Amino acid sequence: MFQLVYISKAKNRLSEPDLLKMMASFRARNTTNGITGLLLYDGKGTFIQLLEGELNAVQDLYSCICQDPRHERINKLHEQTVEKRLFAQWQMGFKRLDTCDIVEHEGLSEFLNQENGFDYLNQNPEFSIQLLHYFRQC
């Protein structure tokens, strides 16, 4: 089993209907390809995503994401082989960070108050793992 975490910047901010339409498409594709994971969106254009599945399937999907014209500044933060999935029951979980009540949780509010979440995650890649684990438990 293989995991990959990346961040990217949307070229345009996305509306709720746009995000829901995209997620329906992503979930169908991921089910077909045996990929699970979690996608977080900060409401300002920054995405952070964990993908997990067989090595080739995850790498192929990441290559497609890198070619997607809706993204820019795509940066791989972490990749590793793992014994089991973190998100085995999630074809692709999704959370909007700008609508979550996490301001009181230590460390998370600092990220949400950043003007540029992309740069913060780029400079603090270990925080991306902490953030994904937090939302796994929600």
Side-chain angles (χ1 to χ4, degrees):
M1 197 57 44
F2 184 73
Q3 290 179 338
L4 184 146
V5 177
Y6 75 91
I7 57 174
S8 69
K9 197 78 170 155
K11 287 188 178 177
N12 299 302
R13 286 194 184 178
L14 299 166
S15 69
E16 189 76 21
D18 289 338
L19 289 167
L20 294 174
K21 183 178 175 183
M22 287 172 35
M23 288 309 301
S25 171
F26 297 162
R27 287 177 176 137
R29 180 192 59 210
N30 291 345
T31 298
T32 300
N33 294 315
I35 293 176
T36 56
L38 176 62
L39 176 66
L40 302 176
Y41 180 62
D42 73 352
K44 300 174 190 172
T46 298
F47 286 99
I48 178 171
Q49 185 168 29
L50 180 141
L51 302 169
E52 57 188 5
E54 295 303 320
L55 175 66
N56 289 339
V58 171
Q59 289 180 331
D60 289 349
L61 177 55
Y62 182 68
S63 293
C64 288
I65 290 166
C66 289
Q67 301 302 315
D68 188 327
R70 296 172 290 193
H71 291 267
E72 59 187 6
R73 299 177 64 191
I74 300 167
N75 185 16
K76 188 187 315 177
L77 298 178
H78 179 76
E79 60 184 348
Q80 68 179 357
T81 301
V82 295
E83 287 187 32
K84 63 180 185 173
R85 296 174 188 260
L86 282 176
F87 300 94
Q89 305 304 316
W90 303 24
Q91 285 80 24
M92 187 51 58
F94 175 70
K95 301 278 186 176
R96 279 190 66 150
L97 301 180
D98 60 334
T99 60
C100 291
D101 187 23
I102 63 171
V103 176
E104 299 301 317
H105 289 77
E106 186 176 331
L108 299 181
S109 58
E110 180 181 347
F111 166 70
L112 291 177
N113 290 326
Q114 295 295 313
E115 185 67 31
N116 189 331
F118 181 90
D119 288 342
Y120 182 84
L121 290 170
N122 232 357
Q123 294 167 4
N124 301 282
E126 69 288 345
F127 179 75
S128 66
I129 304 299
Q130 178 187 351
L131 194 61
L132 289 158
H133 279 274
Y134 171 82
F135 280 102
R136 178 179 175 253
Q137 298 170 3
C138 287

